[in-house]
Amino acid sequence: GSEMCIRDSSYMAGMFHTLENHKLAVSAYLSALDVAKQTSDQAMIARAHNNVGHALITLGRFKQAKPYIDYFYQYGIATSTLSYTSTALNNYGELELGKHNLSAAKNYFTESLNMRLEKKYELASSWSLHYLGKVHYLMQDYQLAKQYLNKAITIRTQYKRELETVRSTLLLINVYFSLEHYERAYPLLMQTISTLKNKKNLQLTAQAYELLFSYFKKMKNYQKAVEISDKLHQVNKSFSARKSNIVLSHYLAKLEVNTKELENIALKKENELTQEKVALKQQQLYSILFLSAFFVVITFAFIKSLSSKNKKLKSTIITLDKTKVELIEAEKISAMATLVSGMAHQLNTPIGIIITANSVIQDKLLDIKDRVEKHTLKQSFLTNTLTAVSYTHLTLPTIYSV
């Protein structure tokens, strides 16, 4: 991930810094910063700015370094991260020292030292002590320079930081030279050269041989001075060759990395095309499955609708059959009613006539009976009555024939 890339770039930059190839260190730190900016880790981004700024200070590119140190300092202030703030102050001191503003540099280093001592950042305080020793050395305040440098050496020795101890020791030897304390300077210098033989730090070794060369010249031991001059020449030659080899190796490695990146890009593109083809096939398959499912759903819905319509049709047919039967029955009843009504009509007339005739005959008979009882019956009345009854009797057969 991004964090691993940053660690790799920072490690490479640190390696270049150790090998005194500060230009490549700046390049590596800038790569780490670019990767850090792609993350949301603000602390990591701030540290990456500080690394770039400090590497630029080492190269003497103070104007370019300042914006990076400013960013780191502002982050430390905003987040109350005193370790960041004190480091930024120390870097500001190095900026001013590089520009030979000794008074301003001294103030920054002092502020950084006080902050680190307050928070008990003991190892970090050794850097402030080292640079305060350097400032006072340049200001020719050799006694204070000795005090600060001895404190820095004590702390760095305690924490087994040998190269940092050597840097402070070489500066202290310069102080002793300025004080003409050669009896202290020489054994310390020889001890330092012995330490550097196992460290392969050619830049510090060259500085140590320069001091030793200067010592033998002051002691007028020209034979030793020539020997040391030869060694110094070999060291500088080896230093230049190593820097060239490092640059060549770096660019060869970079070329190989770029080639690998191009191969990776080609593989990624091929993989992307394969994935696109697979995705397209999957999409086609999904489309077919979707259409199939759609048709299944439509068919199911149609069948369900058809089944529902069939049920309704069967129900309608049953209803129609019932209605048909009911209509037939109704027609039968209607025909029966018509028949009965006709028959009733045909029967009512003769029956009515019979009843009427019977009633007339009965009335006539009752009238004859009444007259007989009263002895008032006459021949003419009886004849007329019998004639009328006879007429009624003759009419009934006609009615029956109807």
Side-chain angles (χ1 to χ4, degrees), residues 176-177 179-188 215 219:
Y176 285 147
F177 276 12
L179 291 169
E180 296 184 352
H181 293 169
Y182 301 116
E183 72 284 356
R184 291 187 178 181
Y186 180 71
L188 194 57
Y215 169 77
M219 296 295 104

Side-chain angles (χ1 to χ4, degrees), residues 196-307:
L196 285 170
K197 285 180 180 178
N198 299 322
K199 296 301 173 185
K200 297 181 181 179
N201 190 304
L202 297 178
Q203 190 175 31
L204 291 177
T205 303
Q207 291 177 22
Y209 278 128
E210 283 176 1
L211 287 171
L212 189 58
F213 174 75
S214 178
Y215 169 77
F216 283 127
K217 277 182 67 178
K218 289 181 185 295
M219 296 295 104
K220 297 182 180 181
N221 190 340
Y222 299 115
Q223 185 178 353
K224 284 287 186 182
V226 171
E227 290 177 7
I228 296 303
S229 178
D230 289 339
K231 288 184 178 181
L232 178 60
H233 176 71
Q234 289 298 323
V235 170
N236 286 330
K237 186 178 178 181
S238 298
F239 181 55
S240 298
R242 187 167 71 178
K243 286 183 73 173
S244 299
N245 290 334
I246 289 170
V247 171
L248 180 60
S249 298
H250 171 71
Y251 285 115
L252 287 174
K254 195 171 183 180
L255 180 62
E256 186 178 354
V257 169
N258 290 338
T259 304
K260 291 292 183 183
E261 285 180 354
L262 290 174
E263 290 176 358
N264 287 337
I265 290 170
L267 286 172
K268 284 180 181 178
K269 285 184 178 179
E270 187 176 348
N271 186 46
E272 286 174 1
L273 288 173
T274 304
Q275 288 180 346
E276 285 177 3
K277 289 179 181 178
V278 171
L280 182 61
K281 287 183 179 179
Q282 286 181 342
Q283 189 175 0
Q284 290 174 345
L285 180 61
Y286 290 149
S287 299
I288 293 169
L289 289 173
F290 174 77
L291 289 173
S292 300
F294 177 75
F295 284 125
V296 168
V297 170
I298 293 297
T299 305
F300 178 75
F302 176 75
I303 292 171
K304 189 174 181 181
S305 174
L306 188 62
S307 176

